[in-house]
Amino acid sequence: MWHIAASIQNTCKSAFRQLQYHINKRMQQAAAADRNKDIILDVLKSYLPAAFKGHVLEIASGTGQHVSHFARTFTAATWQPSDVEQSSLNSISAHIKHYELKNVREPVYIDITKPVTEWKNGEFTTESCDIIYNANMIHIAPWQTAVGLFQAACYLLKPEGCMFTYGPYANNGILEPESN
């Protein structure tokens, strides 16, 4: 009996290690996201109550490091990550699974240059988001992505909603910081 139990336990451990390997293999990591995630989280904490229960849409989630980090602090919020790249969508899913995040939806494909009504079969509706979050897109992507982001914010944000962006911005003509 002991031999069978030990064999089952070893089989379970092996299956778990294989699952973790496949999840971790898909989890992309960006050094810049690791460097700035706590700084951004501190800003979010200064604006949002700890028990914030709203709907947060992240545009261009990239690796998924930010959404997985923020969702562990704002556990009552519902987080919707998105991206236009399949490899990023896979990475975001891996982060969600790795951290066992119940308050983060599976990522959706969003091309921010397209009208909101064309996203995910029109699931996003007028005034359906409390927060829109976007990091490190505006300064490196084509101008039309910035236009699309602000058009989407006008359509999706509730009257008291807010959009948070992060990236290097010019202050009195000086780019601060020059990069991540």
Side-chain angles (χ1 to χ4, degrees), residues 13-180:
K13 284 181 182 178
S14 175
F16 179 75
R17 280 193 301 274
Q18 287 177 347
L19 177 63
Q20 281 300 111
Y21 169 78
H22 290 294
I23 289 172
N24 292 338
K25 191 169 89 171
R26 292 175 47 192
M27 280 177 62
Q28 298 172 8
Q29 300 290 325
D34 273 336
R35 279 193 306 272
N36 60 37
K37 67 185 180 185
D38 287 321
I39 295 165
I40 298 168
L41 180 59
D42 288 343
V43 171
L44 293 175
K45 285 178 178 178
S46 73
Y47 285 91
L48 304 174
F52 175 72
K53 292 184 181 182
H55 180 82
V56 183
L57 172 63
E58 182 181 20
I59 299 294
S61 302
T63 62
Q65 288 167 264
H66 282 173
V67 72
S68 64
H69 187 64
F70 305 155
R72 286 178 277 158
T73 296
F74 294 104
T75 58
T78 301
W79 296 81
Q80 178 61 73
S82 71
D83 209 276
V84 71
E85 298 290 334
Q86 186 60 50
S87 62
S88 293
L89 296 171
N90 293 341
S91 179
I92 298 162
S93 290
H95 277 271
I96 294 167
K97 288 180 182 93
H98 177 77
Y99 292 108
E100 299 177 353
L101 299 169
K102 304 296 184 216
N103 61 330
V104 181
R105 293 181 176 171
E106 278 300 310
V108 293
Y109 173 89
I110 290 180
D111 179 345
I112 195 65
T113 66
K114 305 290 183 200
V116 174
T117 54
E118 293 181 19
W119 299 357
K120 202 177 176 210
N121 301 322
E123 181 180 305
F124 294 95
T125 59
T126 303
E127 298 181 1
S128 60
C129 295
D130 296 286
I131 302 290
I132 293 178
Y133 170 74
N134 173 257
N136 296 319
M137 180 190 79
I138 295 173
H139 67 292
I140 58 171
W143 177 247
Q144 193 55 36
T145 61
V147 172
L149 178 64
F150 282 87
Q151 288 174 337
C154 289
Y155 182 87
L156 293 171
L157 284 174
K158 294 178 180 177
E160 299 298 317
C162 187
M163 180 166 67
F164 292 90
T165 64
Y166 174 84
Y169 297 105
N171 187 8
N172 295 321
I174 300 169
L175 197 58
E176 299 177 29
E178 289 188 22
S179 72
N180 279 320

